[in-house]
Coordinates of all heavy atoms in Angstrom, one line a residue:
L9 N -7.3 10.2 -0.8 CA -8.7 10.6 -0.5 C -9.7 9.5 -0.8 O -9.8 9.1 -1.9 CB -9.0 11.9 -1.3 CG -10.4 12.5 -1.0 CD1 -10.5 13.0 0.4 CD2 -10.7 13.6 -2.0
E10 N -10.3 9.0 0.3 CA -11.3 8.0 0.1 C -12.7 8.6 0.3 O -12.9 9.4 1.2 CB -11.1 6.8 1.2 CG -9.8 6.0 0.9 CD -9.6 5.0 2.0 OE1 -10.5 4.8 2.9 OE2 -8.5 4.4 2.1
R11 N -13.7 8.1 -0.4 CA -15.0 8.7 -0.2 C -15.9 7.7 0.4 O -16.0 6.5 0.0 CB -15.6 9.1 -1.6 CG -14.9 10.2 -2.2 CD -15.3 10.4 -3.7 NE -14.6 11.6 -4.2 CZ -13.3 11.7 -4.6 NH1 -12.5 10.6 -4.5 NH2 -12.8 12.8 -5.0
R12 N -16.6 8.1 1.5 CA -17.5 7.1 2.2 C -18.7 7.9 2.7 O -18.6 8.8 3.5 CB -16.8 6.6 3.5 CG -16.0 5.4 3.3 CD -15.9 4.7 4.6 NE -14.6 4.0 4.8 CZ -14.2 3.4 5.8 NH1 -15.0 3.3 6.9 NH2 -13.0 2.8 5.9
E13 N -19.8 7.5 2.2 CA -21.1 8.1 2.6 C -21.1 9.6 2.8 O -21.5 10.2 3.8 CB -21.5 7.5 4.0 CG -21.6 5.9 3.9 CD -21.5 5.3 5.3 OE1 -22.2 5.8 6.2 OE2 -20.7 4.3 5.5
G14 N -20.6 10.3 1.8 CA -20.6 11.7 1.7 C -19.5 12.4 2.5 O -19.4 13.6 2.6
I15 N -18.6 11.5 3.0 CA -17.4 12.1 3.8 C -16.1 11.7 3.0 O -16.0 10.6 2.5 CB -17.4 11.5 5.2 CG1 -18.7 11.7 6.0 CG2 -16.2 12.0 6.0 CD1 -19.1 13.2 6.2
G16 N -15.2 12.7 3.0 CA -13.9 12.5 2.3 C -12.9 12.1 3.4 O -12.7 12.9 4.3
L17 N -12.4 10.9 3.3 CA -11.4 10.5 4.3 C -10.0 10.8 3.7 O -9.6 10.2 2.7 CB -11.5 9.0 4.6 CG -12.5 8.5 5.6 CD1 -12.6 7.0 5.5 CD2 -12.2 8.9 7.0
I18 N -9.2 11.7 4.4 CA -7.9 12.0 3.9 C -7.0 11.1 4.7 O -6.8 11.3 5.9 CB -7.5 13.5 4.2 CG1 -8.5 14.4 3.4 CG2 -6.1 13.8 3.7 CD1 -8.4 15.9 3.8
A38 N -3.6 18.6 -1.5 CA -4.3 18.2 -2.8 C -5.7 17.5 -2.4 O -6.7 17.8 -3.0 CB -3.5 17.3 -3.6
A39 N -5.6 16.7 -1.3 CA -6.8 16.0 -0.9 C -7.9 17.0 -0.4 O -9.1 16.9 -0.7 CB -6.5 15.0 0.2
L40 N -7.4 18.0 0.4 CA -8.3 19.0 0.9 C -9.0 19.8 -0.3 O -10.2 20.1 -0.2 CB -7.6 20.0 1.8 CG -7.2 19.6 3.2 CD1 -6.3 20.6 3.8 CD2 -8.5 19.5 4.0
E41 N -8.2 20.1 -1.2 CA -8.7 20.9 -2.4 C -9.7 20.0 -3.2 O -10.8 20.5 -3.5 CB -7.6 21.4 -3.2 CG -7.0 22.6 -2.5 CD -5.6 23.1 -3.1 OE1 -5.1 22.5 -4.1 OE2 -5.2 24.2 -2.7
A42 N -9.3 18.7 -3.4 CA -10.2 17.8 -4.1 C -11.5 17.7 -3.3 O -12.6 17.7 -3.9 CB -9.6 16.5 -4.3
G43 N -11.4 17.5 -2.0 CA -12.6 17.3 -1.2 C -13.5 18.5 -1.2 O -14.8 18.4 -1.3
N44 N -12.9 19.7 -1.2 CA -13.7 20.9 -1.2 C -14.4 21.1 -2.5 O -15.5 21.7 -2.6 CB -12.9 22.1 -0.9 CG -12.9 22.5 0.6 OD1 -13.9 22.7 1.2 ND2 -11.7 22.4 1.3
A45 N -13.8 20.6 -3.6 CA -14.3 20.8 -5.0 C -15.4 19.8 -5.3 O -16.1 19.9 -6.2 CB -13.2 20.7 -6.0
D46 N -15.4 18.7 -4.5 CA -16.3 17.6 -4.9 C -17.7 17.7 -4.2 O -17.9 17.7 -3.0 CB -15.7 16.3 -4.3 CG -16.4 15.0 -4.7 OD1 -17.6 15.1 -5.0 OD2 -15.8 13.9 -4.7
P47 N -18.7 18.0 -5.0 CA -20.1 18.2 -4.5 C -20.6 17.1 -3.7 O -21.5 17.3 -2.9 CB -20.9 18.5 -5.7 CG -20.1 18.0 -6.9 CD -18.7 18.0 -6.5
E48 N -20.1 15.8 -3.9 CA -20.6 14.7 -3.2 C -20.1 14.7 -1.7 O -20.6 14.0 -0.9 CB -20.1 13.4 -3.8 CG -20.5 13.2 -5.3 CD -22.0 12.9 -5.4 OE1 -22.4 11.8 -4.8 OE2 -22.8 13.7 -5.9
I49 N -19.0 15.4 -1.5 CA -18.4 15.4 -0.1 C -18.9 16.5 0.7 O -18.9 17.7 0.3 CB -16.9 15.4 -0.3 CG1 -16.4 14.1 -0.8 CG2 -16.2 15.7 1.1 CD1 -14.9 14.0 -1.0
R50 N -19.4 16.2 1.9 CA -20.0 17.2 2.8 C -19.0 17.7 3.9 O -19.1 18.8 4.4 CB -21.3 16.7 3.5 CG -22.4 16.3 2.5 CD -23.4 15.3 3.1 NE -23.9 15.8 4.3 CZ -24.3 15.1 5.4 NH1 -24.0 13.8 5.3 NH2 -24.8 15.6 6.5
A51 N -18.2 16.8 4.3 CA -17.2 17.1 5.3 C -16.0 16.1 5.1 O -16.1 15.1 4.4 CB -17.8 16.9 6.7
M52 N -14.9 16.4 5.8 CA -13.7 15.5 5.6 C -13.2 15.1 7.0 O -13.5 15.7 8.0 CB -12.6 16.3 4.9 CG -13.0 16.4 3.4 SD -11.9 17.6 2.5 CE -12.7 19.1 2.8
V53 N -12.4 14.0 6.9 CA -11.7 13.5 8.1 C -10.2 13.4 7.8 O -9.9 12.9 6.7 CB -12.3 12.1 8.4 CG1 -11.4 11.4 9.5 CG2 -13.7 12.2 8.9
S90 N -10.5 26.0 4.5 CA -11.4 25.0 4.0 C -12.8 25.4 4.2 O -13.2 25.8 5.3 CB -11.2 23.6 4.7 OG -12.2 22.7 4.3
A91 N -13.7 25.4 3.2 CA -15.1 25.8 3.3 C -15.9 24.6 4.0 O -17.0 24.9 4.5 CB -15.6 26.1 2.0
K92 N -15.4 23.4 3.9 CA -16.1 22.3 4.5 C -15.3 21.9 5.8 O -14.1 22.0 5.9 CB -16.1 21.1 3.5 CG -16.9 21.4 2.3 CD -16.9 20.3 1.3 CE -17.6 20.7 0.0 NZ -17.5 19.6 -1.0
P93 N -16.1 21.4 6.8 CA -15.4 21.1 8.0 C -14.5 19.8 7.9 O -14.8 19.0 7.1 CB -16.6 20.7 9.0 CG -17.7 20.4 8.1 CD -17.5 21.2 6.8
V94 N -13.5 19.9 8.7 CA -12.5 18.8 8.7 C -12.4 18.3 10.2 O -12.2 19.1 11.1 CB -11.1 19.2 8.2 CG1 -10.2 17.9 8.1 CG2 -11.2 19.9 6.8
A191 N -18.3 13.0 11.5 CA -18.3 14.1 10.5 C -19.7 14.3 9.9 O -20.0 15.5 9.7 CB -17.3 13.6 9.3
Q192 N -20.4 13.3 9.8 CA -21.8 13.4 9.3 C -22.6 14.3 10.3 O -23.4 15.1 9.9 CB -22.5 12.1 9.0 CG -22.0 11.4 7.8 CD -22.4 10.0 7.7 OE1 -22.7 9.3 8.7 NE2 -22.4 9.5 6.4
A195 N -21.6 18.0 9.8 CA -21.3 18.4 8.4 C -22.0 19.7 8.1 O -21.4 20.6 7.3 CB -21.7 17.3 7.4
E196 N -23.2 19.9 8.6 CA -23.9 21.2 8.2 C -23.7 22.3 9.1 O -24.2 23.4 8.9 CB -25.4 20.9 8.0 CG -25.7 19.6 7.2 CD -25.0 19.5 5.9 OE1 -24.8 20.5 5.3 OE2 -24.7 18.3 5.4
R198 N -22.6 25.5 11.0 CA -21.9 26.7 10.6 C -22.1 27.7 11.7 O -23.2 27.7 12.3 CB -22.4 27.2 9.2 CG -22.1 26.3 8.0 CD -20.6 26.2 7.8 NE -20.3 25.4 6.6 CZ -20.3 24.0 6.5 NH1 -20.5 23.3 7.6 NH2 -20.0 23.4 5.4

Side-chain angles (χ1 to χ4, degrees):
L9 181 65
E10 291 174 8
R11 293 170 174 76
R12 273 205 215 177
E13 303 161 45
I15 303 299
L17 279 169
I18 303 171
L40 281 168
E41 284 169 354
N44 269 302
D46 185 338
E48 301 287 298
I49 289 180
R50 297 158 58 213
M52 285 167 276
V53 168
S90 174
K92 297 178 184 175
V94 186
Q192 285 169 336
E196 315 307 332
R198 294 295 183 278

